[in-house]
């Protein structure tokens, strides 16, 4: 669910206040901390995947289908987490570029949101028109 315009403005104000109050802390939060967090999340997902394999095998040995299904679901969920976490992880070379192009990236995000907002408004308008008939 996207943020409303009021919520977006409040979030931007809080970000500006954080940068103004403690720029070193704000830079640390957006920099390598995110990379470390996503890397840790990928490692946890890999460990969970291995646990899923163990559950799958244990279910097969014990002839308990439900345990094998749970193991498979754990494997699937952890694989999805690992892949999405890996894609979202910023590259080490992108850290410097992200810091210099921050406002431009934010503007592009706003434009993207406004396009999505317009699409959602059109969709809602069509639904309202069709519901009226």
């Amino acid at each position: 669910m996207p943020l409303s315009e009021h919520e977006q403005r409040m979030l931007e104000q809080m970000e500006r206040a954080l940068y103004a109050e403690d720029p070193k802390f704000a830079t640390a939060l957006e920099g390598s901390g995110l990379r470390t967090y996503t890397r840790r999340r990928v490692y946890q997902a890999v460990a969970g995947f291995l646990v899923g394999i163990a559950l799958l095998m244990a279910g097969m040995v014990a002839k308990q289908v439900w345990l094998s299904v749970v193991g498979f679901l754990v494997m699937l969920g952890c694989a999805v987490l690992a892949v999405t976490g890996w894609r979202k992880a910023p590259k080490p070379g992108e850290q410097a570029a992200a810091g210099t192009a921050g406002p431009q990236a934010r503007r592009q995000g706003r434009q993207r949101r406004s396009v999505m907002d317009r699409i959602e408004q059109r969709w809602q308008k069509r639904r309202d028109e069709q519901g009226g008939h």
Side-chain angles (χ1 to χ4, degrees):
M1 181 173 193
L3 297 174
S4 69
E5 288 183 33
H6 176 69
E7 292 169 334
Q8 290 174 2
R9 276 187 261 126
M10 296 220 13
L11 182 61
E12 289 172 4
Q13 287 175 354
M14 290 186 328
E15 287 176 356
R16 282 187 295 234
L18 178 63
Y19 277 104
E21 196 172 300
D22 195 356
K24 189 183 235 182
F25 177 67
T27 305
L29 282 179
E30 76 175 18
S32 62
L34 179 63
R35 186 174 53 227
T36 303
Y37 171 75
T38 53
R39 186 180 303 146
R40 184 181 316 131
R41 187 146 182 174
V42 168
Y43 291 148
Q44 289 172 349
V46 169
F49 188 84
L50 295 175
V51 168
I53 290 175
L55 287 172
L56 181 77
M57 297 302 252
M60 292 176 71
V61 169
K63 296 183 180 176
Q64 297 292 323
V65 176
W66 66 271
L67 189 59
S68 296
V69 170
V70 169
F72 175 77
L73 292 175
V74 168
M75 288 171 51
L76 183 65
C78 289
V80 168
L81 282 176
V83 169
T84 57
W86 193 261
R87 286 183 182 168
K88 290 180 182 177
K91 309 290 186 282
E94 290 178 348
Q95 287 300 323
T100 58
Q104 182 181 6
R106 285 189 191 130
R107 271 187 245 116
Q108 289 175 349
R110 284 186 201 133
Q111 290 173 352
R112 191 173 300 135
R113 280 190 219 125
S114 66
V115 170
M116 288 303 294
D117 288 341
R118 282 186 273 152
I119 291 172
E120 288 176 7
Q121 288 172 354
R122 289 177 187 166
W123 179 257
Q124 187 64 36
K125 184 178 176 183
R126 287 181 189 158
R127 287 183 55 186
D128 291 344
E129 288 174 356
Q130 289 176 353
H133 286 100

